[in-house]
Amino acid sequence: MPSEIAVEKKKLKNPPLKLHYLGDRALRQPAKRITKIDDELRQLVREMLQTMYSSDGIGLAAPQVGINKQLIVIDCEPDNPANPPLVLINPVIKQVSKDICVAQEGCLSIPNIYMDVKRPEVVEIAYKDEYGRPKTLKAGDLLGRCIQHEMDHLNGVVFVDRVENSLTLAQELSKNGFSYQAVKPVA
């Protein structure tokens, strides 16, 4: 169910929120459940969307802007003004498909690095929208991958933790000024 929060899909010179990068502790903290859905939270959603669009992203989790809350914004069609973004509050994975697919991922918190990541092809989630209404969603393709990627952020996991080719990963990170020591591989 698309969001009813309208934000112009454009780049701002000074986005309202500051992105945190690989190596920052904020990215490794498990996010806290949101207990109050109000205007203040909806304002945070607007600021997260503005920050995401300003950085050419398609997804952003609150921990990436240093906010320890289970909140995600996603827009797989940032160039399509008619496609509203998705707002996920306290999302929970209900089911994943047995089919696994490999695709390249990137992350606003690890700029210029794109690596292959294995994930379930389809994911089913339960969440609340920006007005606290309970929703469920089954998603595959780019949206399904984006949801899983952003939900990892809520658990203190970044996509490079899932990259299997550690040699190439170490080279790419080093080339872009990141430390391989910041990676915490997940089994």
Side-chain angles (χ1 to χ4, degrees):
M1 187 71 196
S3 166
E4 294 167 27
I5 291 186
V7 166
E8 204 178 332
K9 297 184 183 192
K10 65 174 186 184
K11 283 184 181 228
L12 302 175
K13 270 198 185 89
N14 298 307
L17 303 168
K18 191 176 144 296
L19 285 168
H20 290 249
Y21 298 100
L22 183 66
D24 190 314
R25 270 191 66 230
L27 295 176
R28 295 301 183 177
Q29 308 298 314
K32 293 182 169 59
R33 284 185 64 76
I34 292 170
T35 53
K36 192 171 158 200
I37 299 174
D38 56 11
D39 286 340
E40 195 178 317
L41 186 72
R42 286 185 281 278
Q43 182 55 33
L44 173 59
V45 167
R46 277 185 207 92
E47 291 175 1
M48 283 176 61
L49 285 166
Q50 290 168 328
T51 302
M52 178 184 79
Y53 292 131
S54 297
S55 307
D56 289 324
I58 60 168
L60 184 66
Q64 290 179 271
V65 289
I67 294 165
N68 195 10
K69 291 184 175 177
Q70 291 185 14
L71 175 62
I72 294 170
V73 294
I74 292 176
D75 186 348
C76 291
E77 293 181 42
D79 298 329
N80 176 358
N83 182 60
L86 189 60
V87 176
L88 308 177
I89 298 170
N90 300 332
V92 177
I93 292 178
K94 290 296 187 194
Q95 213 174 338
V96 294
S97 64
K98 288 187 179 71
D99 297 329
I100 300 294
C101 63
V102 176
Q104 242 187 24
E105 291 186 22
C107 181
L108 295 178
S109 293
I110 317 169
N112 306 316
I113 295 186
Y114 300 93
M115 304 283 301
D116 283 347
V117 178
K118 275 186 191 172
R119 294 199 187 266
E121 214 166 279
V122 179
V123 63
E124 190 177 332
I125 61 164
Y127 64 98
K128 286 192 166 141
D129 71 6
E130 64 276 17
Y131 293 100
R133 297 176 292 215
K135 307 272 183 188
T136 57
L137 175 67
K138 195 172 185 173
D141 301 322
L142 182 59
L143 179 59
R145 178 164 292 273
C146 191
I147 287 170
Q148 293 174 74
H149 173 112
E150 298 307 333
M151 283 183 71
D152 270 354
H153 279 298
L154 302 183
N155 296 311
V157 174
V158 287
F159 90 97
V160 291
D161 299 341
R162 295 191 180 278
V163 171
E164 291 177 4
N165 186 338
S166 54
L167 187 65
T168 307
L169 176 61
Q171 292 168 339
E172 282 299 303
L173 288 170
S174 170
K175 206 165 62 182
N176 287 280
F178 292 104
S179 166
Y180 184 71
Q181 267 48 62
V183 177
K184 296 183 168 47
V186 290

